[in-house]
Amino acid sequence: MMRSVGTLTRADLAETINRKMGLSRAESLDLVESILAHMCGAMADGENVKISGFGSFVLRDKKERIGRNPKTGVEVPITPRRVITFRASQLLKDRIAKG
Amino acid sequence: MIRSELLSALARDNPELRAEEVEQVVDIFFDEIATRLAEGGRVELRGFGAFSTRERKARVGRNPRTGEPVDVPAKRVPYFKPGKEMRERLNAD
């Protein structure tokens, strides 16, 4: 499979916005940060984030459970916590499955 | 928050942009991520999280209605791992 593709970062996203839209590099990078900050802020406030055509970030509250230190075997409680699960849209799933 | 709410928030922060431009920025953002994943690559957004893909082996599934076995081919599926900062913010209270 095509494994040679590198990792996409904020800088790459800003670069594409700069190239396709002609906005300055600084403004493009600000917009990328701003998208992430708004999504992050919504989730920090307890909201799910749903981007149609892409997927949903769904918050789940996990109860306390007993875990084990894999190295020592000692049982330790895992504190209750909120986690995010990403549910890809059918469109994204199809695009990735096809490769 | 849904996509249209994200667009409004960005439009408020960037009054110099037209609504179509804000929409185009958001489209490029998610489309670039999807494209990189479809190419077999990874997307790393420090503080937010990382998108990658995972292999799923071929398996025999079942049509839930008829109970009939069906071959499900091997495929790749998207995966998201939240970043450290994101996880901490979710549990900040």
Side-chain angles (χ1 to χ4, degrees), chain B residues 20 27 58 78:
Chain B
E20 310 88 79
D27 283 344

Side-chain angles (χ1 to χ4, degrees), chain A residues 64-77:
Chain A
E64 177 173 280
R65 62 195 168 91
I66 302 300
R68 209 178 265 278
N69 179 326
K71 210 169 281 181
T72 63
V74 178
E75 286 190 349
V76 281

Side-chain angles (χ1 to χ4, degrees), chain A residues 1-3 5-8 10 27 34 38 40 43 47-50 81-82 84 86 88 95 99, chain B residues 1-3 10 13 16 31 35-36 38-40 42-46 55 76 78 80 86 90-91:
Chain A
M1 210 149 274
M2 314 159 281
R3 281 286 163 208
V5 202
T7 300
L8 190 82
R10 282 174 168 76
E27 190 172 13
S34 190
H38 281 299
C40 208
M43 289 190 266
E47 280 183 57
N48 293 341
V49 173
K50 184 173 178 171
R81 64 193 61 204
R82 181 169 281 175
I84 308 175
F86 175 64
R95 277 184 76 175
Chain B
M1 165 181 272
I2 59 174
R3 188 174 168 283
L10 291 171
D13 295 349
E16 75 286 2
D31 193 58
T35 302
R36 183 57 57 102
E39 289 168 352
R42 247 176 91 74
V43 181
E44 217 171 278
L45 302 166
R46 287 283 157 81
E55 307 280 347
R76 278 183 314 129
F80 175 71
M86 179 84 231
L90 291 180
N91 293 285

Side-chain angles (χ1 to χ4, degrees), chain B residues 8-21:
Chain B
S8 318
L10 291 171
R12 267 198 309 278
D13 295 349
N14 299 275
E16 75 286 2
L17 295 181
R18 284 177 288 120
E20 310 88 79
E21 290 177 311

Side-chain angles (χ1 to χ4, degrees), chain A residues 39 43 47-60 83-93, chain B residues 1-3 30 48 51 78-80 82:
Chain A
M39 293 204 292
M43 289 190 266
E47 280 183 57
N48 293 341
V49 173
K50 184 173 178 171
I51 308 295
S52 57
F54 185 77
S56 316
F57 299 86
V58 181
L59 302 175
R60 297 185 56 197
V83 298
I84 308 175
T85 52
F86 175 64
R87 300 206 49 204
S89 71
Q90 195 57 49
L91 195 73
L92 181 60
K93 284 185 193 166
Chain B
M1 165 181 272
I2 59 174
R3 188 174 168 283
F30 290 106
F48 184 80
F51 295 91
Y79 177 74
F80 175 71

